[in-house]
Amino acid sequence: MSGSTKRIVEVLDFVVDQEAQGKRLDLFLTEAYGEFSRSYVQKLIEDGFVLVDDKEIKKPSRRLKAGQKITFYIPQVEPLEVLPEDIPFDVVYEDEDILVLIKPCGLVVHPSPGYSSGTLVNALLFRIKELSGIGGKERPGIVHRLDKNTAGLMVVAKSDKAHRSLVEEFMQRRVLKRYHALVSGLLREDSGTVEKSIGRHPVDRKKFSVVEDGKPAKTEYEVIKRFEKHRITFLDVRIHTGRTHQIRVHLSFIGHPVLGDKTYGFKTSSVDRKILNLMGECHMLVSYQLGFYHPITKKWMDFQIEDPKPFRDVLNFLEDAEKQAS
């Protein structure tokens, strides 16, 4: 941080594991800290915000070795200018108070350093004249979010009154949230519940994990189908809480990480190359059902969608492979 006058708001420590051996420093940190784009991470490295084994490294392309300690100083960020952008997304329902949409895989929900454009918020500002301002200018209308590589249903508040009511619904756990997931391995039980607290991983700060002093979290799952040939299970998942990465953490905890989720244990070597090509960078996790009380009318609203691409393509591939094997 030589010469930097920016205030540090957080310090993150990482240890390079064997799988990251030989990876570029900028790529490692981009994957480790998903809030920042790679270009912004590169700038922080060049500005001296990163140490490798306690030595300042200003070369983003530096290749890493297993066992090295990475220290990442997160500086206070400057306010972002968020501009409207014509980015397409599918709308399921809209009235003067709320909008229910399908967020595609790969779309970041709200701006952050390095993601000042190309986000769902940029798209919303282009489409909607009035959005709730409670979330600030960088998160207008955003009541909840989905991870970048997760697709599915989201509700957005168009007024402050609607925003406050929806936030209360989520906090009081009166919202129905169901997901479809494709996970590694064949689950023995037809259904189950994971009720384990979730918090920051004690060692790897880029992740969350099951920890005793974390926040309560409850996830229910039911097997829809087992694909024996590829050893993949299709699940219906319901979450009763909304912890960060909850489904991904809980499914990994029981030994069945979501396909595509390298952060929580998915191994590319565990599936057919054709499946990897169909998936791309997407996690095989879709928010297919969302239910809540309308913030103004108090009427129960329940929305369901068909699984979007590429989830549907992978599912069709698995179905066909299963038929051919029988």
Side-chain angles (χ1 to χ4, degrees):
M1 295 180 294
S2 55
S4 174
T5 59
K6 291 185 178 180
R7 186 168 69 88
I8 303 302
V9 296
E10 189 175 9
V11 180
L12 302 179
D13 289 319
F14 308 102
V15 176
V16 180
D17 58 21
Q18 199 64 44
E19 192 171 338
Q21 170 87 13
K23 186 169 289 187
R24 285 174 55 118
L25 177 59
D26 58 348
L27 180 57
F28 176 86
L29 286 176
T30 303
E31 294 175 350
Y33 193 77
E35 296 294 319
F36 293 166
S37 70
R38 188 170 177 180
S39 60
Y40 186 71
V41 168
Q42 288 172 346
K43 185 178 185 304
L44 291 181
I45 294 171
E46 291 167 352
D47 288 346
F49 286 93
V50 177
L51 306 181
V52 177
D53 288 338
D54 298 321
K55 294 181 180 180
E56 196 173 275
I57 300 296
K58 294 189 175 184
K59 188 178 179 181
S61 61
R62 174 72 171 265
R63 297 288 175 176
L64 300 175
K65 297 178 182 179
Q68 285 182 316
K69 174 189 172 185
I70 312 297
T71 304
F72 191 13
Y73 293 92
I74 308 297
Q76 185 176 35
V77 298
E78 301 296 328
L80 299 172
E81 183 181 9
V82 186
L83 301 175
E85 291 183 64
D86 187 5
I87 302 170
F89 60 86
D90 292 327
V91 175
V92 176
Y93 173 85
E94 183 175 8
D95 60 29
E96 62 183 9
D97 298 295
I98 64 171
L99 180 142
V100 179
L101 59 93
I102 303 174
K103 186 194 85 68
C105 163
L107 186 64
V108 175
V109 170
H110 57 74
S112 62
Y115 288 111
S116 60
S117 63
T119 73
L120 177 61
V121 165
N122 295 100
L124 289 170
L125 290 173
F126 183 87
R127 179 186 174 94
I128 304 171
K129 293 182 179 179
E130 296 293 332
L131 280 169
S132 164
I134 291 177
K137 69 177 185 178
E138 293 165 14
R139 303 187 186 190
I142 301 300
V143 177
H144 66 124
R145 71 177 194 174
L146 295 175
D147 296 330
K148 175 185 176 182
N149 294 325
T150 298
L153 289 166
M154 288 183 60
V155 58
V156 172
K158 297 172 69 174
S159 67
D160 287 356
K161 185 176 181 181
H163 195 130
R164 293 189 187 95
S165 179
L166 286 169
V167 167
E168 183 66 16
E169 291 296 302
F170 276 88
M171 288 181 61
Q172 297 300 323
R173 304 178 186 177
R174 291 191 288 260
V175 178
L176 175 63
K177 294 173 283 186
R178 301 187 79 102
Y179 293 72
H180 281 155
L182 289 169
V183 300
S184 298
L186 300 174
L187 276 78
R188 294 180 181 179
E189 304 83 5
D190 289 335
S191 61
T193 300
V194 184
E195 198 160 1
K196 296 287 185 180
S197 297
I198 292 176
R200 282 280 183 187
H201 192 285
V203 177
D204 191 343
R205 302 297 292 174
K206 71 181 179 181
K207 300 196 298 186
F208 289 81
S209 65
V210 169
V211 291
E212 289 186 6
D213 59 347
K215 295 180 179 180
K218 181 180 178 181
T219 303
E220 293 181 335
Y221 63 87
E222 183 175 345
V223 173
I224 298 175
K225 187 169 183 176
R226 296 178 181 87
F227 296 101
E228 302 280 346
K229 180 179 178 180
H230 289 279
R231 298 191 62 77
I232 290 172
T233 305
F234 182 21
L235 297 178
D236 187 297
V237 182
R238 178 179 179 181
I239 55 174
H240 296 268
T241 48
R243 308 306 175 203
T244 303
H245 301 174
Q246 178 175 324
I247 294 175
R248 298 163 58 190
V249 170
H250 274 171
L251 292 179
S252 177
F253 177 76
I254 63 173
H256 297 280
V258 173
L259 264 62
D261 187 5
K262 299 174 186 177
T263 300
Y264 293 107
F266 170 72
K267 305 294 184 184
T268 56
S269 58
S270 67
V271 298
D272 191 304
R273 175 59 59 180
K274 293 179 181 177
I275 295 175
L276 293 176
N277 290 338
L278 289 172
M279 287 165 43
E281 296 299 315
C282 296
H283 295 160
M284 293 297 94
L285 184 63
V286 170
S287 170
Y288 80 90
Q289 184 176 11
L290 182 64
F292 55 88
Y293 289 100
H294 191 282
I296 306 302
T297 68
K298 304 306 178 184
K299 176 184 176 182
W300 178 253
M301 313 283 285
D302 196 329
F303 302 95
Q304 294 189 48
I305 59 169
E306 293 184 355
D307 296 319
K309 287 176 169 284
F311 191 101
R312 186 172 67 250
D313 293 337
V314 174
L315 200 56
N316 289 339
F317 174 85
L318 292 170
E319 293 278 8
D320 292 342
E322 209 71 9
K323 290 177 182 177
Q324 294 173 11
S326 62

